[in-house]
Amino acid sequence: MSKTILSGVKPTGKPHLGNYFGAMRQFMELQNENEKGTNYFFIADYHALNFVQNVSEMRKLSLDVVIDFLTIGLDPKKSVIFKQSDVQEHTELAWIFDTITTVPYLKRAHAYKDAVTKGGEEDVSAGTFTYPMLMAADILLYDTDLVPVGQDQKQHIEFTRDTAEKFNRIFGETFKLPDAYILKDVEVVPGSDGRKMSKSYNNTISLFASDEEIEKAVWSIVTDSEGEVPKNVFAIHKLIKPEGELEKIYDENKGKYKILKEILIDDLKNFIRPMRERREGIAKDLDFVNKVLEEGKQKAQAVARAKMSDVKRAIGVS
Ligand code: AMP
């Protein structure tokens, strides 16, 4: 494959199974398939600034994402791993997009609507409101073909395409239109209550959970049933066990929720333990982690600078 692949993760806390199966696992798979192309995976720290406004927390959480990336198998020899704030062209281009975008258009964004529902419009930061334009800049700066994400980001990729088209219409052909890469089976990974797994719903299972945390999370799964199958338990189990094997287990244990949860606990422990141990090893070598970021910064900056000079020429400020 010879594509440009790009995606980002906000440093807002520990990744959960929704992040992993919905997006991060695909980062690693695409990276390995895309031998002739370029892969960019970045730490979306300026996006996270809407939520994380504490110096030590921001520093720690940003490094954590790099460690998470390396743990799940991103390879700095195959992928450019960098921090959004290290490449100033992201915010510079976002401003240009702000000027060709209207307020009613941005008001249609799900993330904005959710923030209004949660806290009322008065509490929504301007950064949250214009967030889709920063995301458009993140993607379009690198002539991206494919953006692996979960379903919740689909609309933002559509906004990105619209923005590229609008810019191209006004200023001439400059940006490539990217496609979202969303796997149907895992487009919305459910949490312990059956809703989308999300930190804001408090229904997550961490990708690096301890054995105790796994037990606690599984016992808290809400057991609504469908024909004696606890559907929330099954939905999480399906992520880590082949469907054939799983059906046999659920057939043999119809209505036995306690046993089914115990099996899920064991399977999750076996799945998570090696990841957790690998992460602990990588986290000890912070020099390496910082070196990965430094190299990624150099590579991303070079590409973003070249693109920005095309953009500046196109709009007449160069
Ligand atoms: P974030 O940490 O919000 O930047 O999310 C990282 C990635 O995980 C994004 O591509 C999201 O779409 C994806 N994601 C988050 N939660 C879920 C979920 N419950 N199911 C599927 N994908 C998800």
Side-chain angles (χ1 to χ4, degrees):
M1 190 158 88
S2 170
K3 300 259 185 219
T4 300
I5 312 245
L6 175 140
S7 196
V9 169
K10 288 198 291 288
T12 48
K14 291 182 185 146
H16 51 69
L17 296 182
N19 299 130
Y20 181 69
F21 287 100
M24 289 163 80
R25 188 179 54 167
Q26 284 70 266
F27 297 0
M28 183 262 294
E29 286 171 356
L30 286 169
Q31 162 204 263
N32 294 336
E33 282 166 28
N34 192 29
E35 284 161 351
K36 298 205 177 84
T38 318
N39 313 295
Y40 297 95
F41 298 105
F42 69 96
I43 295 89
D45 50 356
Y46 276 164
H47 285 297
L49 194 57
N50 281 308
F51 312 97
V52 180
Q53 299 182 343
N54 172 291
V55 59
S56 55
E57 221 181 306
M58 179 61 96
R59 282 212 183 103
K60 180 180 180 311
L61 292 173
S62 296
L63 279 184
D64 278 350
V65 177
V66 190
I67 299 167
D68 298 342
F69 278 175
L70 296 169
T71 305
I72 61 159
L74 291 189
D75 176 353
K77 291 198 200 78
K78 296 182 184 168
S79 292
V80 180
I81 297 173
F82 69 100
K83 232 166 44 173
Q84 186 185 29
S85 61
D86 275 339
V87 186
Q88 67 196 38
E89 285 76 7
H90 287 239
T91 41
E92 191 176 358
L93 183 57
W95 170 257
I96 294 169
F97 290 158
D98 279 346
T99 67
I100 62 165
T101 304
T102 66
V103 169
Y105 181 78
L106 286 176
K107 281 195 172 172
R108 281 168 36 201
H110 298 315
Y112 167 73
K113 286 191 193 162
D114 289 351
V116 172
T117 313
K118 230 193 246 163
E121 196 172 25
E122 312 75 61
D123 283 337
V124 180
S125 68
T128 300
F129 184 59
T130 57
Y131 151 70
M133 294 301 101
L134 181 55
M135 181 155 161
D138 299 334
I139 296 169
L140 297 176
L141 264 178
Y142 300 90
D143 291 329
T144 303
D145 296 301
L146 283 182
V147 189
V149 281
Q151 168 75 25
D152 57 356
Q153 291 295 339
K154 188 165 185 257
Q155 190 201 31
H156 292 139
I157 310 293
E158 281 156 13
F159 275 37
T160 300
R161 291 173 63 92
D162 287 352
T163 307
E165 275 182 327
K166 192 166 185 187
F167 186 99
N168 290 348
R169 215 166 42 236
I170 302 172
F171 299 109
E173 202 60 29
T174 308
F175 292 114
K176 199 176 204 178
L177 269 54
D179 286 306
Y181 180 88
I182 300 174
L183 294 188
K184 199 91 205 95
D185 277 6
V186 284
E187 60 183 10
V188 183
V189 173
S192 56
D193 56 0
R195 292 189 292 171
K196 181 188 115 171
M197 188 176 284
S198 165
K199 266 167 254 163
S200 47
Y201 295 150
N202 214 2
N203 64 356
T204 62
I205 300 175
S206 160
L207 181 57
F208 306 112
S210 65
D211 285 357
E212 296 72 43
E213 285 166 337
I214 293 170
E215 285 167 24
K216 196 164 163 243
V218 172
W219 291 122
S220 78
I221 296 176
V222 180
T223 47
D224 296 344
S225 66
E226 234 170 39
E228 295 184 286
V229 171
K231 61 177 193 302
N232 297 334
V233 181
F234 186 84
I236 294 171
H237 220 152
K238 207 171 84 176
L239 298 168
I240 54 167
K241 200 147 196 144
E243 209 144 336
E245 270 178 58
L246 206 57
E247 261 153 32
K248 190 163 171 280
I249 295 171
Y250 281 73
D251 265 356
E252 282 168 4
N253 293 290
K254 276 203 177 106
K256 297 177 188 158
Y257 296 171
K258 182 163 175 284
I259 293 177
L260 289 169
K261 281 190 171 181
E262 279 165 356
I263 300 172
L264 174 60
I265 288 174
D266 277 347
D267 287 340
L268 274 174
K269 282 182 183 172
N270 289 332
F271 175 76
I272 287 176
R273 193 178 305 119
M275 293 262 229
R276 198 177 61 221
E277 288 170 359
R278 198 171 132 76
R279 193 184 189 287
E280 282 161 8
I282 293 170
K284 284 189 189 128
D285 193 355
L286 281 187
D287 286 347
F288 175 65
V289 173
N290 281 310
K291 191 169 143 255
V292 167
L293 270 186
E294 184 55 36
E295 280 174 13
K297 170 178 153 180
Q298 303 298 339
K299 289 183 192 158
Q301 274 180 349
V303 177
R305 263 186 206 149
K307 190 76 193 176
M308 233 6 240
S309 75
D310 294 346
V311 172
K312 285 184 155 178
R313 217 171 308 119
I315 63 175
V317 301
S318 67

